[in-house]
Amino acid sequence: AQKITQTQPGMFVQEKEAVTLDCTYDTSDPSYGLFWYKQPSSGEMIFLIYQGSYDQQNATEGRYSLNFQKARKSANLVISASQLGDSAMYFCAMRGAMNRDDKIIFGKGTRLHILP
Amino acid sequence: GAGVSQSPSNKVTEKGKDVELRCDPISGHTALYWYRQSLGQGLEFLIYFQGNSAPDKSGLPSDRFSAERTGGSVSTLTIQRTQQEDSAVYLCASSFVLRGVNTEAFFGQGTRLTVV
């Protein structure tokens, strides 16, 4: 069975500093996808970044990058130059191979607070 | 529509009543997911559809919960004989297939269900 673990329930970070949010996963499937979502206090789920298990390079999207370490089964999100608007709940998620275990499961989330 | 649409946005119901929650995915998206999120918690997977079939119903909490999807589009999540512990935000998401891979999931705004 697939499993996502986020061990940091909450984090406080000074504005403009870089942030790393931890995520480890467990799967026996060689083909899978990893996602990060942001959920601000408004409740909407905002897709941030995606990493495929066969991708050779770490995914990047603007200030977001995914530190993918396949052997360690970790997919940490790095936010560079944090901003006050980054304060939100962040969820790591995983999907298995299509037509085999295609549901997307989420970790319990990390609440990030950016301090002015 | 432009995004995933869920209705109603809020629902207050009396304990023991049945409720139906509707999700209208993005046009052309073949995969549809239902999640439940209690206050301050992560996303609990309920069920997912690929087209009209539901390969994975493992997350449905009890036989009071059921879901269907018709025409590969709109989905309805039904909760029978609602209980107070069913109170939560119910989120729907959809995704499409690109080169044989399901892409990231796009979420609706959710239905906030309150059982009194």
Side-chain angles (χ1 to χ4, degrees):
Chain A
Q2 297 176 330
K3 186 179 179 182
I4 290 277
T5 302
Q6 294 180 254
T7 58
Q8 306 152 309
M11 286 184 71
F12 290 82
V13 174
Q14 205 66 41
E15 189 181 9
K16 297 188 177 64
E17 290 185 352
V19 181
T20 297
L21 304 181
D22 295 342
C23 173
T24 58
Y25 60 92
D26 191 20
T27 180
S28 56
D29 200 325
S31 176
Y32 51 89
L34 297 156
F35 307 84
W36 277 91
Y37 283 83
K38 172 183 179 181
Q39 188 178 44
S41 56
S42 59
E44 62 185 311
M45 289 288 287
I46 302 169
F47 166 73
L48 296 179
I49 196 166
Y50 168 81
Q51 179 86 42
S53 60
Y54 292 120
D55 292 344
Q56 295 298 311
Q57 293 188 326
N58 287 345
T60 60
E61 288 287 347
R63 293 187 300 113
Y64 304 108
S65 60
L66 199 152
N67 184 1
F68 181 45
Q69 299 189 37
K70 194 170 183 177
R72 297 179 60 184
K73 293 188 175 179
S74 77
N76 297 343
L77 177 71
V78 180
I79 307 174
S80 63
S82 59
Q83 303 171 356
L84 295 178
D86 294 333
S87 294
M89 195 76 167
Y90 289 81
F91 292 101
C92 180
M94 177 171 68
R95 167 195 282 135
M98 189 174 169
N99 298 325
R100 290 184 57 183
D101 194 357
D102 201 39
K103 64 178 181 283
I104 303 175
I105 60 167
F106 286 78
K108 293 188 183 300
T110 295
R111 185 168 296 281
L112 177 63
H113 303 270
I114 304 298
L115 304 172
Chain B
V4 177
S5 178
Q6 291 187 247
S7 60
S9 54
N10 279 285
K11 176 73 177 178
V12 180
T13 190
E14 291 181 352
K15 178 182 173 181
K17 300 277 190 184
D18 297 352
V19 294
E20 282 190 354
L21 312 180
R22 176 187 167 106
C23 174
D24 201 341
I26 296 171
S27 178
H29 281 199
T30 57
L32 187 147
Y33 308 83
W34 282 100
Y35 296 89
R36 179 168 72 173
Q37 187 177 30
S38 300
L39 189 62
Q41 302 299 309
L43 277 72
E44 176 188 4
F45 169 79
L46 297 179
I47 188 171
Y48 105 93
F49 292 89
Q50 192 65 256
N52 289 337
S53 65
D56 194 327
K57 304 179 182 180
S58 63
L60 294 177
S62 74
D63 58 8
R64 296 187 296 106
F65 288 72
S66 63
E68 65 175 15
R69 188 181 186 194
T70 54
S73 181
V74 173
S75 175
T76 303
L77 177 69
T78 301
I79 309 173
Q80 296 177 310
R81 304 180 302 282
T82 51
Q83 304 293 314
Q84 287 185 327
E85 61 262 28
D86 299 335
S87 297
V89 175
Y90 289 80
L91 289 164
C92 175
S94 68
S95 68
F96 67 98
V97 177
L98 179 64
R99 292 192 289 273
V101 177
N102 265 321
T103 65
E104 72 271 18
F106 295 83
F107 280 81
Q109 294 295 324
T111 293
R112 182 177 298 279
L113 176 66
T114 304
V115 182
V116 296

